[in-house]
Amino acid sequence: MKKCTILKTVSLQPRKGKKIILGITQTLNRHGYCTLGEAFNRLDFSSAIQDIRRFNYVVKLLQLIAKSQLTSLSGAAQKNYFNILDKIVQKVMEDQYNPRLIKDLLQDLSSTLCILIRGVGKSVLVGNINIWICRLETILLWQQQLKNLQMNKQVNNGLTLSDLPLHMLNNILYRFSDGWDIITLGQVTPTLYMLSEDRQLWKKLCQYHFAEKQFCRHLIPSEKGHIDWKLMYFALQKYYPIKEQYGDTLHFCRHCSILFWKDTGHPCTASDPNTCLMPVSPQHFIDLFKF
């Protein structure tokens, strides 16, 4: 048999450890090989979405899969994917945490599925087409439920956001790394709207996400001749990726060849473990399972 090099998982630790051991095989024998669907289970993504530090990471991962990897998912991976997605939707419906993020995910997923289902004659999807149609109907139902979601307003006699001094409100806005979050908060009160329109705020956001040579190519002057940094941010977002921030991410240990949640850690045998760790972005995680 002709040999080839495959960079994939060759052995797995128990699910309890939430780790995956990665390695290199030199033959087409895939005994012990870990698929993307298996990784969902072994890294316990179903439980990860309950952790606010990992929620955004998992949602971003599912969004990337929705955009480019649906046709490569096995039956088991499909089942795991939609089980996790269902739990994410239910979580958002219950505690109303970050509904915009899941709305974006469902929009990308429904758009991709509509295109793929039309191409069923080309056998682009793995599995029965009727199952995919049912999944699309479920996604559309979720979108409608989230559209009708009413945010709970808890009334109490304690301190509210509006009671904070201006400098504290300003500090809160400067902590955000997403422009849409700034706009959303600016809709709460006239004072927050005024603070959210500050040119320096949007300039700092552009400087955080993009290199100077990038935004110099897309300068957008306002009517007064100043640079409109708010428009600049959203214009640059179309051309360049923004920095990703997550409370907890997957990490890869180059010494032990183990993939694990950073907060979980692992007993590395290297003399200086910190030099062996490499953060794994959602896109990098998907790339590990491409072949």
Side-chain angles (χ1 to χ4, degrees):
M1 178 182 290
K2 184 178 180 180
K3 294 185 177 181
C4 67
T5 301
I6 306 176
L7 269 171
K8 291 299 170 205
T9 21
V10 293
S11 59
L12 301 175
Q13 289 189 354
R15 182 175 179 176
K16 183 178 179 181
K18 298 184 179 67
K19 304 178 181 71
I20 291 182
I21 302 177
L22 301 180
I24 300 177
T25 63
Q26 292 295 330
T27 71
L28 290 176
N29 179 11
R30 298 180 184 177
H31 177 68
Y33 167 77
C34 178
T35 66
L36 185 58
E38 291 171 333
F40 284 159
N41 279 337
R42 295 303 179 95
L43 290 169
D44 204 7
F45 283 177
S46 292
S47 297
I49 62 172
Q50 303 302 325
D51 188 330
I52 194 172
R53 298 166 301 173
R54 301 173 182 176
F55 181 86
N56 290 6
Y57 186 97
V58 178
V59 172
K60 180 64 175 181
L61 175 60
L62 265 59
Q63 187 174 23
L64 291 174
I65 292 174
K67 290 180 178 180
S68 62
Q69 299 297 311
L70 280 182
T71 56
S72 64
L73 294 182
S74 65
Q78 293 173 24
K79 183 177 179 180
N80 290 334
Y81 180 94
F82 283 96
N83 282 342
I84 296 171
L85 183 59
D86 180 45
K87 292 181 179 180
I88 289 175
V89 173
Q90 299 312 314
K91 175 179 173 59
V92 174
M93 295 295 294
E94 291 172 5
D95 60 22
Q96 303 171 351
Y97 176 73
N98 212 341
R100 180 178 59 82
L101 197 63
I102 187 61
K103 286 179 181 178
D104 291 343
L105 165 58
L106 293 178
Q107 181 58 47
D108 288 336
L109 185 55
S110 61
S111 298
T112 302
L113 272 183
C114 285
I115 295 173
L116 293 178
I117 288 176
R118 293 193 191 103
V120 67
K122 300 177 182 179
S123 301
V124 293
L125 289 170
V126 176
N128 190 302
I129 186 59
N130 293 322
I131 294 178
W132 284 102
I133 292 175
C134 289
R135 286 169 175 164
L136 178 58
E137 292 174 348
T138 300
I139 292 167
L140 296 177
L141 176 61
W142 285 337
Q143 287 180 303
Q144 188 60 46
Q145 291 174 341
L146 289 170
K147 184 178 180 181
N148 298 332
L149 180 65
Q150 297 294 323
M151 305 299 287
N152 293 330
K153 297 181 179 180
Q154 297 180 353
V155 179
N156 54 55
N157 297 323
L159 189 68
T160 65
L161 190 63
S162 301
D163 297 322
L164 297 176
L166 286 179
H167 74 276
M168 292 187 67
L169 293 175
N170 205 41
N171 284 338
I172 291 173
L173 285 166
Y174 270 84
R175 302 288 180 179
F176 288 170
S177 61
D178 189 293
W180 284 111
D181 289 336
I182 293 175
I183 290 176
T184 300
L185 185 59
Q187 295 172 346
V188 176
T189 66
T191 299
L192 284 169
Y193 175 76
M194 179 268 295
L195 294 174
S196 70
E197 291 294 309
D198 179 47
R199 289 181 62 251
Q200 286 300 315
L201 172 65
W202 290 97
K203 180 179 180 180
K204 289 287 186 181
L205 198 62
C206 286
Q207 292 175 332
Y208 172 75
H209 285 291
F210 310 106
E212 184 176 355
K213 61 180 180 180
Q214 292 175 332
F215 55 74
C216 282
R217 297 173 185 168
H218 304 276
L219 291 178
I220 302 177
S222 64
E223 295 178 358
K224 297 181 180 180
H226 302 297
I227 297 176
D228 193 324
W229 292 103
K230 182 178 179 181
L231 289 179
M232 277 278 294
Y233 170 81
F234 290 104
L236 291 169
Q237 208 175 27
K238 297 178 181 179
Y239 297 100
Y240 311 105
I242 63 175
K243 290 183 179 179
E244 299 178 358
Q245 283 188 329
Y246 305 102
D248 189 19
T249 66
L250 289 174
H251 272 60
F252 178 70
C253 177
R254 290 186 288 265
H255 178 76
C256 305
S257 297
I258 288 180
L259 188 66
F260 62 98
W261 287 106
K262 180 183 179 182
D263 188 58
T264 303
H266 83 283
C268 183
T269 58
S271 56
D272 188 1
N274 291 331
T275 62
C276 305
L277 301 185
M278 178 181 69
V280 179
S281 69
Q283 183 60 61
H284 185 194
F285 177 82
I286 292 175
D287 292 341
L288 289 173
F289 297 92
K290 287 182 178 180
F291 62 94

